[in-house]
Amino acid sequence: MTTLQTQPLNTLWYTRCPVPTGLGIAIQKGWLKEKFHEQQIEIKSIRESNSKDVRNSHFNHTLANSVRHGGSIPAIWAYASGQKTKVIGLSWADEVQLLLTRYDSNIKTVADLKGKRFGLPLNQDAIIDFSRAQAIRGLENSLKTVNLSVSDLELVDCLRADIIAAQQQQPEENDSSFYGDRNKLNASAEIVALIKGDVDAIFLKGAHAAQIAHDFALHTIIDIGSHPDPILRSNNGTPRTLTVDEDFLSHYPQQAQSIVDAVLEAEQWAHIHADETHRYLAKECNSSEQWVYAAYGADAHLKLKTNFDETSVLALQDLSDFLYRWKFIPEQIDVKQWLAPESYQSLL
């Protein structure tokens, strides 16, 4: 690949979701920092920035010279909205994706959901409401297993009045965390609605889902995350996208190589360090090892693989088509035009 850079790169910005990724381990181990320190390049965390505009780049990928490894829904939205990014790898780590109800309900199977109230998170101020999108995706895929559709249920928006009041009283300067206290509160709305009986079922995924299901003694209607069909398992985290802005890939190919190298090295290390990897993943997920095991399995360390597997590409296209159909993204996209497999392979 021809190097097009016109000036040295001084700073690389990075971000990842609080989920299992090779980039997350590379950051925790200090390997990403080491690789760029050798090139006299500073690395900075988008999530830990004091600037709201910088933090927002985790979702809209507007920050130049940045890399993101995480949930695919924000990445798809940014690309479909015109942001020039490239996917330089896809990772797939199956996780629990649960439709949950109260144990005292009469809902035991997916078929029992017909005519019932399904609670959906509603984050009105979100750049992209990925929580709502992934909930509808999980619901729709689950319903397909019994030939039902989302229209067979009543969808109920979950946004508590007390949360709105708390948001209005909360100064902006106090909301400096990555997701912000507002989103932390919003995330609980559908859970509270289920416990109170305002809705009959909800969707949760990952370590958070495993813990909530246990702590509140909820009944799992289905774990669509364990379905044998990978397309029905595809959601925000399956697959996850490793993306960079297009100009960065064009102008700094050697630095892009350093990113890929760090991710692959972290994944290879994980494959032979099961216990340590689970501890790292627990830290990434803001959870405990117990719930990482429950959500991702005892073989979670083996699931860290970044590549361009054909199944991942097909699943990413199916997910993007879903997002367009449900009007979460403004334009339909051709995933294959978004991928940069030639760049990725040239960097190995």
Side-chain angles (χ1 to χ4, degrees):
M1 181 185 297
T2 302
T3 300
L4 302 176
Q5 68 185 76
T6 56
Q7 59 185 12
L9 178 67
N10 296 317
T11 303
L12 171 75
W13 290 90
Y14 69 85
T15 185
R16 82 280 195 191
C17 295
V19 294
T21 63
L23 184 65
I25 291 181
I27 291 166
Q28 285 199 52
K29 296 287 287 183
W31 292 338
L32 188 71
K33 182 176 182 179
E34 288 177 8
K35 286 184 180 296
F36 282 89
H37 179 74
E38 293 170 357
Q39 304 172 52
Q40 297 182 320
I41 298 169
E42 184 179 10
I43 66 168
K44 291 185 178 180
S45 170
I46 289 174
R47 290 173 56 172
E48 296 172 5
S49 172
N50 291 324
S51 166
K52 184 177 180 180
D53 289 339
V54 171
R55 294 197 310 276
N56 282 346
S57 188
H58 175 85
F59 302 101
N60 57 31
H61 211 133
T62 55
L63 192 62
N65 303 326
S66 63
V67 58
R68 179 186 187 277
H69 199 179
S72 294
I73 291 175
I76 293 170
W77 173 83
Y79 179 72
S81 299
Q83 198 61 34
K84 293 183 178 181
T85 60
K86 282 292 184 181
V87 177
I88 59 172
L90 296 170
S91 63
W92 188 302
D94 280 313
E95 58 189 345
V96 295
Q97 299 183 48
L98 309 179
L99 294 194
L100 298 166
T101 189
R102 292 177 14 165
Y103 260 105
D104 59 359
S105 80
N106 61 355
I107 303 171
K108 303 304 177 185
T109 69
V110 177
D112 295 333
L113 285 169
K114 187 174 183 179
K116 298 299 191 294
R117 301 164 300 169
F118 193 86
L120 291 175
L122 178 62
N123 300 299
Q124 296 172 310
D125 297 327
I127 296 175
I128 167 65
D129 196 347
F130 68 89
S131 296
R132 185 178 183 85
Q134 70 185 15
I136 297 175
R137 174 70 168 180
L139 173 63
E140 183 176 84
N141 283 349
S142 297
L143 293 172
K144 287 179 180 178
T145 65
V146 293
N147 297 317
L148 290 177
S149 65
V150 175
S151 61
D152 291 315
L153 285 74
E154 177 188 352
L155 300 183
V156 179
D157 293 337
C158 296
L159 183 64
R160 289 160 44 195
D162 57 324
I163 290 177
I164 296 175
Q167 290 175 354
Q168 292 172 343
Q169 297 172 15
Q170 184 178 34
E172 176 64 27
E173 59 266 25
N174 289 343
D175 188 25
S176 60
S177 62
F178 172 54
Y179 287 112
D181 291 335
R182 292 172 172 81
N183 283 334
K184 290 176 183 177
L185 289 169
N186 284 345
S188 70
E190 68 271 29
I191 300 170
V192 172
L194 178 64
I195 300 302
K196 290 173 61 180
D198 294 336
V199 300
D200 301 305
I202 61 173
F203 170 88
L204 294 174
K205 74 175 191 69
H208 176 63
Q211 182 173 3
I212 291 296
H214 173 272
D215 290 350
F216 290 94
L218 301 178
H219 169 67
T220 296
I221 304 167
I222 187 175
D223 175 10
I224 194 63
S226 62
H227 194 279
D229 184 349
I231 299 302
L232 291 184
R233 301 199 309 271
S234 65
N235 206 322
N236 191 35
T238 40
R240 294 188 173 96
T241 47
L242 177 63
T243 54
V244 295
D245 53 292
E246 191 173 301
D247 285 344
F248 172 79
L249 184 60
S250 298
H251 288 81
Y252 304 104
Q254 295 307 311
Q255 284 69 40
Q257 177 177 358
S258 295
I259 293 170
V260 173
D261 287 347
V263 169
L264 296 183
E265 288 171 12
E267 292 173 346
Q268 290 163 6
W269 174 88
H271 296 167
I272 57 176
H273 295 86
D275 291 342
E276 290 177 81
T277 298
H278 276 86
R279 286 195 289 271
Y280 278 118
L281 296 185
K283 186 176 180 180
E284 283 292 292
C285 297
N286 300 317
S287 185
S288 69
E289 292 178 54
Q290 173 186 357
W291 302 121
V292 167
Y293 274 100
Y296 299 100
D299 61 344
H301 60 296
L302 299 177
K303 294 178 179 178
L304 296 171
K305 296 179 180 178
T306 298
N307 50 41
F308 276 100
D309 181 81
E310 183 179 358
T311 298
S312 294
V313 176
L314 292 174
L316 191 66
Q317 184 65 63
D318 193 78
L319 177 60
S320 67
D321 292 344
F322 158 83
L323 293 172
Y324 178 71
R325 177 161 42 86
W326 279 89
K327 304 186 186 315
F328 283 103
I329 60 175
E331 300 289 341
Q332 196 163 17
I333 68 170
D334 181 350
V335 161
K336 289 185 178 179
Q337 296 296 317
W338 186 24
L339 308 180
E342 71 288 346
S343 302
Y344 179 83
Q345 294 189 9
S346 70
L347 301 178
L348 296 181

